[in-house]
Amino acid sequence: MTKTRAHALAILREFGSAEEELLGKSVVLTDGKAGTVERVLLDESHGLRLAIAGHQGVWPVSTIKFMEG
C-alpha cells in the first residue's frame, strides 16, 4: 500500500468515527444555534463541518460549545 493511500484511508476512518460520534446528537454552537446534527461533511479547506437540523448552512466542528453526552 502506498503512503498516500494509507493517509487517505486514515482520514476516511477518522471521518467515519466522527460521524458515529456526532450524528443525531444535540449540540449548542458558540453562536447560540442549537439542534441535532443531521450531517457531518468533510470540507477540503475547513475540515469537519456540521449541518444542524432546522438551520441553513454548515459550521466547523470546532464551534461546538456543548454536546449531549
Side-chain angles (χ1 to χ4, degrees), residues 45-65:
S45 300
H46 303 101
L48 286 177
R49 312 278 284 180
L50 306 172
I52 308 296
H55 298 282
Q56 293 254 336
V58 293
W59 293 268
V61 71
S62 62
T63 61
I64 295 175
K65 183 175 181 179

Side-chain angles (χ1 to χ4, degrees), residues 6-7 13 18-19 25-26 30-31 33-34 36-37 53 57-59:
H7 284 298
R13 194 170 26 256
E19 271 189 321
K25 296 285 179 134
S26 296
T30 55
D31 64 2
K33 288 180 180 66
T36 303
V37 177
V58 293
W59 293 268

Side-chain angles (χ1 to χ4, degrees), residues 2-69:
T2 67
K3 193 172 186 177
T4 303
R5 182 176 170 93
H7 284 298
L9 289 173
I11 290 168
L12 292 174
R13 194 170 26 256
E14 290 301 318
F15 177 73
S17 294
E19 271 189 321
E20 281 183 32
E21 183 179 334
L22 295 168
L23 281 178
K25 296 285 179 134
S26 296
V27 295
V28 177
L29 304 181
T30 55
D31 64 2
K33 288 180 180 66
T36 303
V37 177
E38 61 181 15
R39 281 189 310 152
V40 178
L41 303 105
L42 184 59
D43 181 322
E44 64 186 44
S45 300
H46 303 101
L48 286 177
R49 312 278 284 180
L50 306 172
I52 308 296
H55 298 282
Q56 293 254 336
V58 293
W59 293 268
V61 71
S62 62
T63 61
I64 295 175
K65 183 175 181 179
F66 174 80
M67 183 171 73
E68 162 189 60

